[in-house]
Amino acid sequence: MTRAIWITAALAAATALAGCGTIPDMRYGQGVGSRPAYGGGPVVTTEPAVVTGPSASQVEGACMSAGREAGFDVQGVVGTREQGTSRDVMLRVQRGGQTVEVRCSYAYDSGQARIMTL
């Protein structure tokens, strides 16, 4: 008998929740058929555009060149990270007897590699 009660309760809950899909959004005094308070049409959300750029190896090469142009003895790439519209490349460089890591940012839209930290 207890099992039948649980099944009936579960079916009743599922039926009640299924009916929630047609409840109008009443925020800001809006009901069915009314326009949003801001005067626009339906709200449409989109994902931000992700600009795809050159391959990681091309970006790393451009950053290594930018490091050399900045006067560093570039020893290699430590790591890279995708930023959506750009890629950050960490370089291990040497200058004046010191070895440090610097960040290079490669912007996909301009195709420019810039050393960000010295």
Side-chain angles (χ1 to χ4, degrees), residues 9 20 23-24 28 31 33 35 37-38 40 44 50 55 64 82 109 112:
C20 291
I23 296 174
Y28 311 111
R35 297 190 74 168
Y38 58 84
V44 178
V50 176
S55 70
M64 289 176 74
E82 184 71 31
D109 58 350
Q112 296 290 320

Side-chain angles (χ1 to χ4, degrees), residues 40-57:
V43 176
V44 178
T45 58
T46 59
E47 293 294 320
V50 176
V51 180
T52 57
S55 70
S57 62

Side-chain angles (χ1 to χ4, degrees), residues 69-80:
E69 290 172 8
F72 292 109
D73 176 20
V74 179
Q75 296 177 336
V77 174
V78 177
T80 67

Side-chain angles (χ1 to χ4, degrees), residues 4 6 20 31 34 48 60 70 75-76 83-84 91-94 99-100 110 117:
W6 282 107
C20 291
S34 67
E60 291 170 5
Q75 296 177 336
Q83 297 292 336
L91 299 173
R92 179 170 286 121
V93 299
Q94 188 173 22
T99 300
V100 294
S110 66
T117 54

